[in-house]
Amino acid sequence: MPCLPWYGQIDGILQANLDIMRAFFLYCLFLCPLGLFCQVDFNKGWKMKPGDDPVYAKAACIDQDWAAVSPLQNWEMQGLPQYDGYVWYRLHFYLPRNLLSSSYLKDSVRFLLGPIDDVDACYLNGVKIGQNGHFPDEGKDAYRTAWDVPRRYVLPVNHLALHWDAENVLALRVYDGGGPGGMFDNVERSAGAVDVLDFVKMTVQHRALQKTEKNGFNYATQFENQYQKPIAGSLTVQVFAFKGQKKPLKTLQFPVNIPAKGKQEILAHLESVGRNWVYFEFKEQLSGKTTHQWQETPYVLTPKAGDRPEIHNPAVYGARPGVPFLYKIAASGKAPVSYASKGFPPGVKINAATGVISGTLQQRGMFNITLFATNSAGSDSKTILLVVGDNICLTPPMGWNSWNCWGLQVSDEKVRAAADALLSSGLADYGWNYINIDDGWEAPGRNAQTGAIETNEKFPNMPALSDYLHKKGFKMGIYSSPGPKTCGNFLGSYQHEAQDAQTWADWGVDYLKYDWCSYSGIAPEKPDLEAYKHPYAVMRAALNATNRDIVYSMCQYGMGDVWHWGEEVGGNLWRTTGDITDTWESMSGIGFSQDSLHSFARPGHWNDPDMLVVGHLGWSEQLHPSRLTPSEQYTHISLWAMLSAPLLIGCDLTKIDDFTFNLLANDEVLAIDQDHDGRQAEKKQQGPDYEIWVKALSDGSQAIAIFNRSEQDRDITTDWAALGLANYKTVRDVWQQKDIGKFGKTWHGAVYGHGVRLLRVY
Ligand code: GLA
């Protein structure tokens, strides 16, 4: 419906204006003169309307009947389920001139809006003041997402669009190309005066020290000055045992002098003292304003692996007869390790130096295979069940995918580097073995003669790449869409399904992620179940017609309750939600929402809550350390293991640090994910801010995850009987890999804020 003129709903407007005036009055009276909160909060008061009409940009547009929307949650969760396309957001706010009083510079105003998924144009009182990304209607192939760019629009104080000491209207034209839409990160959104501090970017990163240096690690605080004059001030670093503790354990102070348009780095050395919180505060000299950050120290729980070999392959493996077979013995221990095996049916041979077993098995059946690993410190053996039949992917796939780090900038070189790093870091010894290329490998057009899909210049030779990976024991994954275009606007497989499946098989592909994306333009506007299933069934048939075992990863964000029929169309895994990102809201929102799906996970068929967001991520060449705190990262890995989720590392493996390695190389945690029986955990208990999930394991023991969803550390008591575990007594702390005692009836322990205790009871 187009907007009505102003006089349409005068009462509502008067009321809204009164509310705004009241808030402004309080603000002027108390807060701003004190130098506090001299900005307008934009985290509430928004309204939205799906559709697209230029009149929505105008200040005079009546939006009283628009739906209220929180910028802290995507629009799918607020009345627009699975909606992709255009939505307008509007916000009325009062802009007090004394906003400028607290600023040293007093020359411009900034609007902070946080990331917007995917494209936005921002209008103030009808005047366009900025845009991020490109809308599809800007021209052929124009669409470009800018979903992870924090929006910041700046205007000089005398800009005509600014209505000082009056009501203003901010209108956002937003387009979402797929997955969650709109604003949803829990970040600052406000209007405020630009000040000297706005020109300073402060980032804090921990850096593990080399083993040869002192114990502990350095925190590197990097300052970047975008101002044309030097900026000075001081940095205070304080260590606390927990957030909220009054007296710091340690305080360090450093002078800061950042050259004009330059950088400065300050290293603060901290001894390794387990888990603490570190507070970093920069005070800018001219304005006296401060900015701060908290960092939880990256505490390592996983014990270091010994020199003796230990085999970590899951207890079961499925393969089909008559197609190329590839399997690697995954064993930690001091190099060089030599490998052997016993019990394989004819058709395969082992490379004793790499542990790679390859060939073609002809005989169907179940075989007990013994794997051996030997080095100078000793040897290990493990018997696993090899099932040669129709089913593959009997435990959730584990490996690496390019998306969460490189986004569309993935290349052959980066894929090889990831594989090399999986090997050199030792992670491959724990069973991480898929190397999956996500979107961005495709050439713009098909081969003019044959119609075959081709690679772009970043991937000069796909068969050579798969050969490189296979020789090292890795499997190679690829990505496409049933639509004409992928989500990243690259070429999709529409109407070339069988041909593409054969091309990939010829290249040596072992895994396909098939992403709905532009298929929404092919499917009926309101697809019924058959319409959802159709493109996935077509591609599964095409994959089956090739001579390879190809794991089939369905990516359509849970539409049509895919968990009910994903197995029927041959999916080995299916995404259950929109895209994950490295925030607590995103990760915990996805992870904790999986409870109702537990009955759909089983060997060969897995719910997929999306890829891991630990390590250095970026969805582009600009990488940053995961924004999850260390405790949140323990929660992430523990929860995904409890969910029997596919584990696909999404970070730059060449930058792996001790903490991230500790998260990904804990064999007892991984064994919960890779358990032979493939059951997904169930939520058994829930309090106001905690959840207890339980997963039955194949040896009769139970894994229990006690999650603290609040920010504060807290003690949690569990009642074994209430959890249905009355017969279990011995409790093992899985991250620390040690038994922590016998608990007959209850277990009581501390759980860090946003953290977890992962236990196994026998
Ligand atoms: C979608 C998927 C992501 C990724 C991108 C690639 O957003 O959900 O995982 O594959 O497409 O464009």
Side-chain angles (χ1 to χ4, degrees), residues 41-285:
D41 180 13
F42 280 176
N43 260 335
K44 48 183 181 287
W46 289 91
K47 297 201 152 193
M48 72 164 173
K49 189 179 178 110
D52 190 28
D53 188 331
V55 88
Y56 298 161
K58 298 206 170 22
C61 166
I62 296 288
D63 49 25
Q64 300 298 305
D65 60 340
W66 289 30
V69 63
S70 161
L72 306 180
Q73 281 184 334
N74 60 47
W75 67 47
E76 279 80 356
M77 295 166 83
Q78 303 182 80
L80 297 178
Q82 289 162 21
Y83 179 85
D84 298 330
Y86 287 93
V87 170
W88 279 75
Y89 283 70
R90 283 170 63 89
L91 176 75
H92 294 248
F93 66 96
Y94 200 90
L95 190 64
R97 191 174 280 279
N98 75 346
L99 197 75
L100 302 174
S101 64
S102 67
S103 158
Y104 176 82
L105 297 177
K106 299 185 182 24
D107 58 2
S108 46
V109 183
R110 53 137 185 80
F111 296 92
L112 300 181
L113 299 169
I116 298 181
D117 202 322
D118 286 293
V119 184
D120 79 300
C122 180
Y123 297 83
L124 181 66
N125 300 316
V127 180
K128 185 169 173 186
I129 62 168
Q131 175 169 334
N132 273 276
H134 291 288
F135 294 101
D137 63 5
E138 287 180 64
K140 190 170 175 291
D141 292 338
Y143 170 60
R144 286 285 175 279
T145 177
W147 67 277
D148 59 344
V149 180
R151 277 30 174 199
R152 184 173 188 273
Y153 298 115
V154 178
L155 295 178
V157 287
N158 55 1
H159 195 285
L160 290 179
L162 292 165
H163 296 174
W164 288 106
D165 291 336
E167 190 191 80
N168 289 253
V169 181
L170 208 55
L172 297 175
R173 181 189 190 218
V174 179
Y175 176 81
D176 175 35
M183 296 184 268
F184 47 82
D185 278 344
N186 188 3
V187 292
E188 181 189 338
R189 292 184 182 82
S190 63
V194 173
D195 212 343
V196 185
L197 212 47
D198 287 274
F199 293 92
V200 180
K201 194 170 153 209
M202 169 169 130
T203 44
V204 182
Q205 280 183 22
H206 75 87
R207 299 219 181 120
L209 297 179
Q210 301 296 317
K211 287 190 186 62
T212 47
E213 296 178 46
K214 275 199 279 180
N215 258 352
F217 48 85
N218 285 328
Y219 267 111
T221 307
Q222 281 151 350
F223 292 100
E224 209 179 312
N225 175 6
Q226 281 140 3
Y227 198 44
Q228 68 272 34
K229 294 183 187 161
I231 295 179
S234 61
L235 172 71
T236 308
V237 180
Q238 292 183 308
V239 182
F240 295 90
F242 54 92
K243 254 190 188 176
Q245 188 188 26
K246 292 235 164 58
K247 210 168 153 330
L249 303 172
K250 182 174 187 170
T251 300
L252 301 167
Q253 204 109 34
F254 304 89
V256 176
N257 288 294
I258 330 164
K261 299 266 173 196
K263 290 181 182 175
Q264 185 184 7
E265 179 174 280
I266 293 176
L267 288 184
H269 177 75
L270 300 180
E271 278 82 44
S272 184
V273 278
R275 185 267 199 169
N276 286 309
W277 279 95
V278 192
Y279 177 76
F280 298 83
E281 185 182 271
F282 170 58
K283 184 166 188 187
E284 194 274 316
Q285 210 169 49

Side-chain angles (χ1 to χ4, degrees), residues 178-179 401 403-404 408 438-440 479 486-489 513 515 517 555 557 575 577-579 610-611:
N401 171 293
W403 183 248
N404 290 351
L408 298 172
D438 208 283
D439 203 359
Y479 167 97
T486 64
C487 291
N489 212 23
K513 173 173 170 185
D515 195 350
C517 307
C555 179
Y557 341 111
R575 277 273 295 280
T577 68
D579 289 14
D610 208 358
M611 300 175 287

Side-chain angles (χ1 to χ4, degrees), residues 244-432:
Q245 188 188 26
K246 292 235 164 58
K247 210 168 153 330
L249 303 172
K250 182 174 187 170
T251 300
L252 301 167
Q253 204 109 34
F254 304 89
V256 176
N257 288 294
I258 330 164
K261 299 266 173 196
K263 290 181 182 175
Q264 185 184 7
E265 179 174 280
I266 293 176
L267 288 184
H269 177 75
L270 300 180
E271 278 82 44
S272 184
V273 278
R275 185 267 199 169
N276 286 309
W277 279 95
V278 192
Y279 177 76
F280 298 83
E281 185 182 271
F282 170 58
K283 184 166 188 187
E284 194 274 316
Q285 210 169 49
L286 294 175
S287 65
K289 285 185 184 160
T290 60
T291 178
H292 70 263
Q293 271 188 36
W294 281 98
Q295 293 266 333
E296 193 185 31
T297 49
Y299 55 103
V300 168
L301 298 176
T302 304
K304 281 221 170 347
D307 284 347
R308 287 168 62 89
E310 264 185 71
I311 297 176
H312 303 297
N313 296 74
V316 61
Y317 185 75
R320 291 187 309 145
V323 300
F325 178 88
L326 183 73
Y327 183 82
K328 183 174 173 354
I329 302 178
S332 55
K334 193 173 162 215
V337 177
S338 68
Y339 304 89
S341 68
K342 206 170 75 187
F344 270 101
V348 296
K349 61 176 194 299
I350 185 165
N351 179 325
T354 61
V356 177
I357 300 167
S358 57
T360 302
L361 297 169
Q362 300 298 348
Q363 203 179 327
R364 284 173 170 266
M366 310 242 249
F367 306 91
N368 284 317
I369 307 291
T370 309
L371 310 171
F372 301 93
T374 308
N375 68 6
S376 57
S379 67
D380 190 23
S381 68
K382 179 169 182 176
T383 299
I384 66 143
L385 182 67
L386 170 69
V387 186
V388 186
D390 297 320
N391 296 322
I392 58 171
C393 207
L394 299 186
T395 57
M398 282 175 63
W400 176 86
N401 171 293
S402 56
W403 183 248
N404 290 351
C405 45
W406 304 123
L408 298 172
Q409 266 106 49
V410 61
S411 66
D412 177 290
E413 207 183 322
K414 288 177 177 133
V415 171
R416 285 175 197 244
D420 294 347
L422 264 188
L423 273 180
S424 62
S425 65
L427 278 178
D429 300 343
Y430 291 85
W432 300 93

Side-chain angles (χ1 to χ4, degrees), residues 13-24:
I13 290 161
L14 276 178
Q15 185 54 48
N17 280 340
L18 282 176
D19 289 348
I20 290 171
M21 297 287 282
R22 203 173 298 132
F24 171 60

Side-chain angles (χ1 to χ4, degrees), residues 610-621:
D610 208 358
M611 300 175 287
L612 303 177
V613 280
V614 301
H616 278 76
L617 313 158
W619 294 270
S620 68
E621 282 188 329

